[in-house]
Amino acid sequence: MCGIIGILGNSAVAGNLLDSLKRLEYRGYDSAGIATLENGVLTRVRAEGKLRNLELRLADHPLLGKIGIGHTRWATHGRPTEANAHPHATSRVAVVHNGIIENFRELREALAAENIKFSTQTDTEVVALLIDLALSRGLSPIEAVRETLPLLKGAFALAFIFADEENLLIGARAGAPLAVGHGNGENYLGSDALALAPFTNRISYLEDGDWVVITRESVTVYNIENHTVVRPINIVAQGTLVADKGNFSHFMAKEIHEQPEVVGRTIAHYVNMANGTVSLPEDIQIDFSSIDRLVISACGTAFYAGTIAKYWFEQLAGLPVEIDVASEFRYREPPLTGRGLALFISQSGETADTLASLRYTNAGGWPSLAVVNVPTSTIARESTMVAPTLAGPEIGVASTKAFTCQLAVLLALAIHAGRARGMLSAFAEQELVTALLSIPALMSKVLAHDVEIEQLARDLAKAKDVLYLGRGLSFPLALEGALKLKELSYIHAEGYAAGELKHGPIALIDETMPVIVLAPKDGVFEKTVSNLQEVAARGGNIILIGSATAATEAGLERETAIVMPDVHHIVSPLLYALPVQLLSYHTARVMGKDVDQPRNLAKSVTVE
Ligand code: F6R
């Protein structure tokens, strides 16, 4: 979850380390730090809180070394204090770490038995102390790392620098991602290509168990058996590495407003515009007619995209779908019998639970298809096939454009499956593809309601609890709406299937409780309106998101409705996602919350 960076440069590296940490802040932002080597001595500056605090500290205490490591933290072990911030260091070694050392208690006890003292509550300090112990016994830095790595259990990425070693940076990867950047007379290590983008686009990705010895002139990768291995250098397209807010005050706002463009681009990748059919990229070779079971696994917002896809695959293709949150799937150990396909959905492509689920189905011999946004990610690399979302870098911690792009890809796949399984006629396919193609323009219309939605958000910001309701395809979107609102504004929110209301949650309704109802004109619209009336009858404070006719049929006044353009019901989640996102965005903004970096969260969840 944390972001790490290492630079072996030719001039002072602290400024560049800080720039990279800004690009990595999406991975964690509760404390940060940098260490460099100055005249052979390890010197570090760390600060609690956002990177800005580290920047201010560095202004007072500049670091001058030409080799250094940096870290932005999402706390796992120990509170986000300065003492617990990385790099962790002794006089001989400094280390930054992303992930969890699962056996750190055992290791701590072993070190304590050697009379070694601790100054933090972190698991990372154990690594620094183990290396230090090995160095104190006369091992070289390379030997010390080689001897220490097998002692560590868990999922982690590490970067080390050493006292008196002006030309040595060592990295290790076990579970958490780590990339090597190849420069000219300079080399780099980082959690991802985005962090390294200012310096190089020549990137190699370490595989699990790899560790790497880097000098200014060389990069030597060793595998888990300590044999030298070659990891190819990829040229990463610059376009995928741009991260800037443009004219928007938050990344989230920019990313919401980018949706017509990126969803359009994604749809174009999967459909033949000329004849209105789905046309999958050549490297996605799936014969859906020979499959009798689809298993989907993902986390958070990506899980809700998968839940919407379950409706699509079942209704359009008659394909039975099981879906689990990845943290359950991986331990539920479902039997992988029958002719199945495993589908994984992830923006980052690094989510630990989703990756573990992929590895489970890979081990079971099932083919896997990953819908991912980061094409160089671990999940993309380990899946049999990749269906990319072309959302571009998503920096706001709350997923927005990646979600709608995931929906676009999943619907294209479901339509393709429907044709392959004889459930959809050529005419029905064309109708659905036409509906999908209408989405980007309709999205632009919905985004024009931004100001109205902001007004509604001002009221929502006063609520203590909020309920989202929907049926059918809108039910997972209700869950997504509640997730977005709570993660950004910290208002308690729940999503419910509208028909489930009367089985308990209706007891919560009174005039203080906003109830947001997603009611596109679909096969269950009348039933949703009945549920809405039940809420109204109990004094509930309704915000309807529906078409103009929906508002009239529900007998609601205009100011309590977000009026949506008419849209084919099958594609409605792509469109209805937008007011849901905007409501959360504006509510959090009005409340003065940190929209792009909500408390306790991180963008890329590489711990389980
Ligand atoms: C919520 C959100 C998270 C992610 C989840 C999965 O707005 O962004 O719930 O959707 O952590 O992340 P990825 O898609 O990277 O696997």
Side-chain angles (χ1 to χ4, degrees):
M1 301 276 284
C2 310
I4 65 180
I5 174 78
I7 303 181
L8 242 175
N10 287 305
S11 53
V13 290
N16 283 344
L17 287 170
L18 195 66
D19 284 350
S20 286
L21 291 181
K22 287 182 184 158
R23 292 168 160 262
L24 285 170
E25 226 181 346
Y26 74 90
R27 303 178 71 90
Y29 37 78
D30 58 35
S31 54
I34 282 176
T36 70
L37 193 59
E38 293 178 18
N39 302 320
V41 178
L42 293 164
T43 320
R44 45 181 185 154
V45 172
R46 298 174 298 162
E48 195 176 316
K50 292 283 176 64
L51 270 179
R52 179 80 194 122
N53 298 350
L54 179 66
E55 205 166 358
L56 293 172
R57 284 276 169 87
L58 282 166
D60 289 342
H61 306 279
L63 291 180
L64 304 173
K66 295 179 184 171
I67 166 172
I69 50 179
H71 188 270
T72 178
R73 181 166 188 244
W74 186 83
T76 58
H77 294 64
R79 292 181 58 76
T81 56
E82 181 176 338
N84 287 334
H86 301 218
H88 289 284
T90 68
S91 59
R92 299 183 181 95
V93 61
V95 58
V96 286
H97 164 214
N98 165 30
I100 296 179
I101 309 295
E102 285 171 359
N103 59 336
F104 96 105
R105 279 192 190 81
E106 261 168 76
L107 296 171
R108 218 173 138 104
E109 279 163 24
L111 286 164
E114 304 251 359
N115 223 4
I116 291 172
K117 301 274 178 287
F118 304 91
S119 48
T120 81
Q121 300 148 332
T122 66
D123 50 347
T124 313
E125 188 183 17
V126 166
V127 182
L129 292 173
L130 284 169
I131 299 276
D132 189 78
L133 187 62
L135 293 169
S136 73
R137 290 177 175 154
L139 267 58
S140 71
I142 296 176
E143 288 164 345
V145 171
R146 189 177 56 213
E147 300 300 305
T148 303
L149 288 176
L151 306 177
L152 309 177
K153 292 201 185 121
F156 52 81
L158 296 161
F160 304 94
I161 54 173
F162 303 86
D164 297 322
E165 297 282 352
E166 292 285 352
N167 196 15
L168 181 65
L169 173 65
I170 298 184
R173 175 193 174 171
L178 193 60
V180 179
H182 302 259
N184 289 329
E186 301 200 342
N187 284 315
Y188 316 90
L189 265 179
S191 294
D192 62 22
L194 189 64
L196 304 177
F199 321 120
T200 182
N201 63 346
R202 298 172 61 231
I203 306 290
S204 35
Y205 295 96
L206 296 187
E207 296 192 1
D208 269 351
D210 284 356
W211 58 288
V212 61
V213 175
I214 301 177
T215 67
R216 289 184 180 81
E217 303 77 31
S218 66
V219 171
T220 312
V221 182
Y222 300 90
N223 66 10
I224 197 162
E225 275 127 19
N226 298 326
H227 298 137
T228 49
V229 283
V230 175
R231 302 295 176 219
I233 298 181
N234 306 278
I235 307 298
V236 179
Q238 285 299 333
T240 61
L241 301 175
V242 180
D244 110 60
K245 274 188 245 177
N247 292 329
F248 292 90
S249 43
H250 298 98
F251 279 110
M252 186 181 178
K254 172 177 172 256
E255 288 159 5
I256 290 175
H257 285 267
E258 269 173 7
Q259 289 178 102
E261 186 193 332
V262 296
V263 169
R265 192 198 304 162
T266 302
I267 294 171
H269 197 65
Y270 290 88
V271 306
N272 179 332
M273 310 245 194
N275 61 14
T277 58
V278 171
S279 163
L280 298 186
E282 267 173 23
D283 42 2
I284 306 179
Q285 295 288 338
I286 314 165
D287 178 5
F288 276 103
S289 67
S290 68
I291 289 169
D292 49 28
R293 193 174 156 208
L294 181 66
V295 166
I296 307 180
S297 195
C299 301
T301 292
F303 170 74
Y304 296 137
T307 313
I308 291 172
K310 173 182 164 75
Y311 285 76
W312 284 332
F313 278 106
E314 292 185 344
Q315 288 173 9
L316 303 178
L319 182 59
V321 177
E322 281 165 55
I323 175 154
D324 288 86
V325 284
S327 53
E328 288 301 314
F329 181 84
R330 60 181 296 192
Y331 293 115
R332 184 163 72 85
E333 298 182 4
L336 298 176
T337 52
R339 294 169 303 157
L341 173 70
L343 178 66
F344 300 94
I345 308 163
S346 176
Q347 187 285 128
S348 62
E350 301 293 351
T351 301
D353 287 314
T354 312
L355 178 59
S357 301
L358 165 66
R359 288 179 176 164
Y360 175 79
T361 60
N362 280 352
W366 269 28
S368 50
L369 173 64
V371 176
V372 284
N373 196 40
V374 180
T376 50
S377 60
T378 313
I379 290 177
R381 282 180 280 130
E382 294 193 14
S383 300
T384 324
M385 290 162 287
V386 178
T389 48
L390 306 183
E394 191 181 63
I395 306 296
V397 162
S399 190
T400 52
K401 61 176 181 169
F403 175 68
T404 44
C405 287
Q406 285 160 356
L407 292 179
V409 174
L410 292 165
L411 180 53
L413 289 168
I415 297 170
H416 176 83
R419 282 292 282 152
R421 294 169 66 81
M423 289 278 295
L424 288 180
S425 65
F427 178 76
E429 177 183 19
Q430 257 184 17
E431 189 193 346
L432 288 169
V433 170
T434 308
L436 193 53
L437 286 168
S438 72
I439 285 293
L442 293 176
M443 280 179 159
S444 300
K445 284 194 183 166
V446 173
L447 291 172
H449 289 295
D450 203 17
V451 178
E452 279 162 53
I453 295 177
E454 186 183 347
Q455 286 305 321
L456 288 172
R458 289 183 188 282
D459 286 336
L460 214 54
K462 296 175 199 141
K464 279 186 67 192
D465 306 279
V466 173
L467 212 54
Y468 265 94
L469 300 179
R471 273 177 182 262
L473 288 165
S474 299
F475 166 44
L477 200 55
L479 298 173
E480 164 64 1
L483 171 65
K484 279 279 103 73
L485 191 64
K486 64 189 147 199
E487 72 177 325
L488 292 170
S489 66
Y490 322 142
I491 294 175
H492 169 241
E494 294 205 48
Y496 263 97
E500 189 65 11
L501 194 66
K502 54 193 168 296
H503 299 289
I506 201 162
L508 292 170
I509 300 212
D510 63 17
E511 58 289 344
T512 66
M513 163 83 96
V515 182
I516 303 171
V517 186
L518 299 162
K521 205 78 170 111
D522 55 15
V524 286
F525 172 72
E526 273 76 24
K527 297 193 186 305
T528 308
V529 170
S530 305
N531 300 135
L532 193 153
Q533 302 298 0
E534 289 156 14
V535 174
R538 284 154 184 87
N541 180 4
I542 296 165
I543 298 174
L544 176 74
I545 306 181
S547 66
T549 45
T552 320
E553 284 178 44
L556 281 176
E557 293 164 24
R558 290 290 282 229
E559 58 270 24
T560 47
I562 298 173
V563 178
M564 300 289 287
D566 289 332
V567 62
H568 191 299
H569 70 277
I570 288 288
V571 295
S572 62
L574 281 108
L575 200 61
Y576 279 60
L578 270 53
V580 162
Q581 296 165 352
L582 284 169
L583 269 177
S584 308
Y585 168 72
H586 285 301
T587 306
R589 205 182 46 79
V590 165
M591 294 172 79
K593 303 296 183 206
D594 190 341
V595 174
D596 281 334
Q597 295 181 334
R599 70 183 180 201
N600 303 341
L601 295 177
K603 183 74 182 158
S604 183
V605 186
T606 55
V607 293
E608 58 169 300

